[in-house]
Amino acid sequence: MELTSYKEEIVLYDAGGTPINTWVEVRIDPLTGDVSRVINVPLRDWSLPDLEKMARETRENCPFCPEHLGEKTPRFDGGILPEGILRRGKAVLIPNRFPYDRYCALIILSESHFVPLDAWEAREVFDGLMIAQTFLNRVLERDDAVNAFSLNWNYAPHSGSSILHPHIQLSVGAFASNRGRRLMEISYSERLKGRDPVEELLAEERSRGQRWCGTVGPWCILFAFAPRGRFFEVQLIHESVGCFPELAAEDVESLASAIAHCLRFVPHMGFSSMNLSLFSPLREPNSFHPMVSISPRACVGPYQMSDISFQMLIDEFFCLFLPEFVAARFRDEWGEEEISR
Ligand SMILES: [Zn+2]
């Protein structure tokens, strides 16, 4: 598979006439064709919110802490979930009080009000993913008219999260997310022509090695060639086609382990917030490789400048880190041998 990028060398001049050499690298996403730009901008210190302070201030009125759960949180209709809510280990699935799709759930991942990113254990993530899988299969049994789901995680306020208590958002309905639909439609249409573009991407990245960070079970860890987000995008891609609701528990266990590794890497790079999204068909097991994408989020002080600008309107991202640099840091920290098993 070809990985396409264009580097522009640009010369400007300062007030005294001295040349200023700079550059921008335009990269094309090998799956979607979307453009990302790696830009040469000096990194300013981004401000990290005081999450310990926020935890102390918000814990008392948190609707997701065990002593309050059920007081302010709703239950599902018996037709879709006779139990009203689901529990597995410490994870609890409840309805989202403010739905944005036909079935909208929140998965509370921990009894702790605040779990720092470097303290996540695979077991907590595993229970959360398994309860998501159970819910999706319950919906599939009862509603023939749902076609897509979306699983996402906003961690801490700079990622867009309004409640610090760790929770995943899961929605099921008629329409896929825009990016999910693009990824899956391209994979499907190329497979009709006899190609598997995701398999080609994995083979290419594995052989190049610059962005490749090893495997956990069937999950390949790599940094996106054309990242979304301001800093980096790490992807966990299943080596085979499949769909999340049908994944074997051992595959989900490996995914949880890989996610926990990646969560611990986010603070290692100096961030304390992140977004996570899972892309997978709801029903069709033969058209797409399930994948997870994780990207850190931050604001730049002293006025809390957002890390997303007009990029949200043009649907394009300007990235401050070279993905190869971040991947090397990831490999230095954990090493490919430790990741692989
Ligand atoms: Zn709480």
Side-chain angles (χ1 to χ4, degrees):
M1 171 178 272
E2 206 167 322
L3 299 179
T4 307
S5 68
Y6 303 92
K7 189 165 185 179
E8 305 274 2
E9 304 284 352
I10 299 163
V11 183
L12 303 170
Y13 296 89
D14 70 11
T18 306
I20 303 167
N21 295 301
T22 186
W23 54 267
V24 59
E25 189 173 341
V26 179
R27 294 186 173 201
I28 314 301
D29 185 301
L31 295 177
T32 61
D34 291 343
V35 164
S36 291
R37 296 166 195 267
V38 182
I39 60 173
N40 180 17
V41 173
L43 278 176
R44 281 178 283 182
D45 286 340
W46 46 87
S47 59
L48 298 183
D50 187 342
L51 297 181
E52 298 279 359
K53 177 170 178 277
M54 184 181 178
R56 288 193 300 275
E57 291 173 354
T58 57
R59 195 189 183 292
E60 193 176 342
N61 294 315
C62 173
F64 299 162
C65 273
E67 62 270 32
H68 297 306
L69 192 66
E71 287 175 6
K72 296 178 185 171
T73 51
R75 300 171 71 82
F76 276 104
D77 175 81
I80 195 70
L81 202 65
E83 310 95 312
I85 64 173
L86 289 175
R87 289 182 183 272
R88 181 189 169 103
K90 303 284 173 59
V92 186
L93 180 143
I94 62 171
N96 188 331
R97 172 67 183 80
F98 305 103
Y100 48 87
D101 212 335
R102 191 180 306 169
Y103 308 102
C104 227
L106 299 176
I107 300 165
I108 300 158
L109 290 169
S110 171
E111 291 183 340
S112 299
H113 182 59
F114 172 53
V115 181
L117 279 173
D118 56 7
W120 279 94
E121 298 291 339
R123 166 55 57 178
E124 296 162 305
V125 180
F126 174 67
D127 284 337
L129 293 175
M130 289 301 287
I131 213 171
Q133 201 184 52
T134 300
F135 181 71
L136 291 171
N137 283 306
R138 293 288 190 91
V139 173
L140 283 167
E141 285 165 15
R142 289 164 172 77
D143 189 338
D144 292 335
V146 289
N147 299 311
F149 77 98
S150 190
L151 184 151
N152 305 285
W153 188 355
N154 299 324
Y155 179 94
H158 286 177
S159 73
S161 177
S162 60
I163 295 179
L164 187 61
H165 200 122
H167 61 285
I168 287 175
Q169 310 206 21
L170 175 64
S171 61
V172 198
F175 303 101
S177 69
N178 287 325
R179 189 183 185 198
R181 188 186 65 248
R182 281 206 300 278
L183 282 166
M184 285 177 255
E185 281 182 354
I186 287 165
S187 179
Y188 177 73
S189 65
E190 290 301 310
R191 285 177 65 83
L192 288 179
K193 300 174 198 165
R195 284 185 62 222
D196 182 339
V198 179
E199 193 172 274
E200 289 178 23
L201 173 66
L202 293 176
E204 183 69 32
E205 290 289 24
R206 188 191 285 262
S207 72
R208 289 187 183 226
Q210 303 142 294
R211 289 164 296 277
W212 185 265
C213 292
T215 56
V216 179
W219 299 91
C220 305
I221 305 180
L222 63 160
F223 282 78
F225 173 74
R228 294 178 75 88
R230 187 69 128 187
F231 308 104
F232 60 83
E233 179 186 358
V234 58
Q235 297 177 325
L236 313 170
I237 305 180
H238 199 289
E239 63 187 4
S240 306
V241 291
C243 65
F244 176 73
E246 292 183 11
L247 281 184
E250 62 185 39
D251 281 14
V252 179
E253 197 171 11
S254 296
L255 176 61
S257 173
I259 288 174
H261 268 297
C262 293
L263 296 184
R264 292 196 290 270
F265 180 66
V266 171
H268 179 73
M269 289 297 290
F271 300 93
S272 63
S273 299
M274 66 93 207
N275 290 124
L276 176 152
S277 293
L278 186 151
F279 303 99
S280 162
L282 179 62
R283 301 172 188 274
E284 172 51 58
N286 297 310
S287 64
F288 187 69
H289 296 243
M291 64 172 69
V292 165
S293 171
I294 298 171
S295 186
R297 299 292 307 280
C299 293
V300 179
Y303 299 111
Q304 300 292 297
M305 184 185 80
S306 169
D307 60 353
I308 303 294
S309 62
F310 60 81
Q311 297 158 52
M312 66 162 279
L313 293 178
I314 64 172
D315 194 16
E316 194 176 291
F317 288 91
F318 299 175
C319 187
L320 300 181
F321 290 146
L322 277 168
E324 299 73 36
F325 162 79
V326 190
R329 288 279 298 270
F330 190 99
R331 289 192 300 265
D332 286 349
E333 183 69 12
W334 283 288
E336 203 168 315
E337 274 180 30
E338 192 187 330
I339 293 285
S340 303
R341 66 172 202 192

